[in-house]
Amino acid sequence: MKYEKEFNAIRDILYPDWNVGSLRFAGEDDTSLVAPLTPMILRCMAISETVTTTIRECPEEITIAKEMIKVWINQHAAIRILGAGRALLAASLGANRLAHAGTLISFMGGMVPMPNSILGGGIIAASASGQTRHVIEAMKVAKEHNPNIKILGFAKNSQKAVEFMDLCDCFIGLRSRALPLPNPLFALADEEEMAIAELLDGLVVLAGQELGFTEEMWRLGHEDIGPTGPYSVRDK
């Protein structure tokens, strides 16, 4: 069976006490149904490895980023999200939560224009490659117009991302290690993009926690008009 060897290896690592015979799905054992989906498990493991390796190898940068976010929250700052394609979508998850924390969020290319640079605030720049030209150009313009704008950047830790990195006040360079079982589902930097989403969202939640945010405070910042989840103060 295709991927059965890889499936068994993952099972032995993650679930050493898993009794295969005790689990049945639709009349078949778990191996027959789950083994063909092993590439999805390997993909998740690779993304997790990128996130954890980045945190372990960049504790100083991660800490600086957290403190930047805390300042932004306290100041209800104007935060511009720069990115393109999936990287912009990845950054939008943490940005959405940052809006719940009381900051003014806008997106490159969004229907609502980004605030004028004279207002200061910050930028979160996301580029899996660190080479997205219009993101880099926007970062340059921001620094030229107002050097007080702080830039938090996420990109792959690579020599090709040096220009991007140099424009950042805090740069989170995504790192990963070779896994015994490589990710067979890799398409156009998706590991880096998913890692950006997880790292930024985790940083926002951690910053809020250290500022004393309660569930009530997160709910107060949650939208309650239009299609949305049951998370506002009225939905308790």
Side-chain angles (χ1 to χ4, degrees), residues 141-194:
V141 170
K143 283 299 187 182
E144 290 170 1
H145 288 188
N146 188 344
N148 292 322
I149 291 177
K150 300 298 183 183
I151 299 179
L152 169 58
F154 294 84
K156 186 174 183 178
N157 188 49
S158 166
Q159 285 297 318
K160 295 181 179 180
V162 169
E163 185 179 14
F164 180 97
M165 177 180 64
D166 288 345
L167 289 165
C168 296
D169 293 279
C170 178
F171 173 68
I172 308 296
L174 305 174
R175 294 159 163 82
S176 60
R177 297 184 303 170
L179 296 173
L181 299 173
N183 174 15
L185 291 182
F186 187 84
L188 300 179
D190 54 352
E191 279 182 21
E192 289 84 2
E193 289 154 352
M194 298 302 290

Side-chain angles (χ1 to χ4, degrees), residues 68-80 98-99 101-106 115 119-123:
M68 286 176 65
I69 292 171
K70 287 166 67 175
V71 170
W72 289 342
I73 292 173
N74 279 331
Q75 295 179 345
H76 302 287
I79 308 301
R80 307 150 186 88
L98 193 52
T103 64
L104 176 63
I105 297 293
S106 58
L119 297 176
I123 283 174

Side-chain angles (χ1 to χ4, degrees), residues 18 29 47 65 72 77 108 132 150-151 166 181-182 206 216 224:
W18 194 356
D29 65 54
I47 293 168
W72 289 342
M108 172 177 272
T132 310
K150 300 298 183 183
I151 299 179
D166 288 345
L181 299 173
L206 181 59
E216 183 81 7
D224 65 348

Side-chain angles (χ1 to χ4, degrees), residues 10-228:
I10 293 171
R11 186 185 60 203
D12 292 342
I13 293 170
L14 299 180
Y15 309 105
D17 300 321
W18 194 356
N19 182 354
V20 177
S22 68
L23 294 175
R24 301 268 174 187
F25 298 91
E28 300 183 72
D29 65 54
D30 63 317
T31 304
S32 65
L33 287 182
V34 180
L37 304 179
T38 295
M40 294 182 65
I41 300 175
L42 293 173
R43 171 186 165 89
C44 291
M45 292 175 70
I47 293 168
S48 176
E49 182 63 29
T50 298
V51 172
T52 54
T53 298
T54 300
I55 294 171
R56 287 171 179 165
E57 295 188 6
C58 307
E60 183 177 351
E61 292 86 348
I62 294 290
T63 301
I64 292 171
K66 178 196 66 178
E67 294 303 317
M68 286 176 65
I69 292 171
K70 287 166 67 175
V71 170
W72 289 342
I73 292 173
N74 279 331
Q75 295 179 345
H76 302 287
I79 308 301
R80 307 150 186 88
I81 312 301
L82 307 184
R86 286 171 51 90
L88 182 60
L89 292 173
S92 71
L93 290 174
N96 182 281
R97 198 180 302 277
L98 193 52
H100 294 162
T103 64
L104 176 63
I105 297 293
S106 58
F107 294 89
M108 172 177 272
M111 295 181 69
V112 176
M114 294 186 289
N116 191 287
S117 59
I118 198 172
L119 297 176
I123 283 174
I124 296 174
S127 170
S129 66
Q131 301 174 69
T132 310
R133 288 313 311 172
H134 73 272
V135 171
I136 292 173
E137 293 305 319
M139 295 164 73
K140 288 180 179 179
V141 170
K143 283 299 187 182
E144 290 170 1
H145 288 188
N146 188 344
N148 292 322
I149 291 177
K150 300 298 183 183
I151 299 179
L152 169 58
F154 294 84
K156 186 174 183 178
N157 188 49
S158 166
Q159 285 297 318
K160 295 181 179 180
V162 169
E163 185 179 14
F164 180 97
M165 177 180 64
D166 288 345
L167 289 165
C168 296
D169 293 279
C170 178
F171 173 68
I172 308 296
L174 305 174
R175 294 159 163 82
S176 60
R177 297 184 303 170
L179 296 173
L181 299 173
N183 174 15
L185 291 182
F186 187 84
L188 300 179
D190 54 352
E191 279 182 21
E192 289 84 2
E193 289 154 352
M194 298 302 290
I196 288 171
E198 181 58 40
L199 286 165
L200 179 55
D201 198 39
L203 278 166
V204 174
V205 175
L206 181 59
Q209 185 179 79
E210 292 191 3
L211 288 173
F213 267 57
T214 62
E215 180 182 352
E216 183 81 7
M217 294 170 70
W218 287 115
R219 285 180 177 273
L220 186 62
H222 198 280
E223 63 271 27
D224 65 348
I225 299 174
T228 182

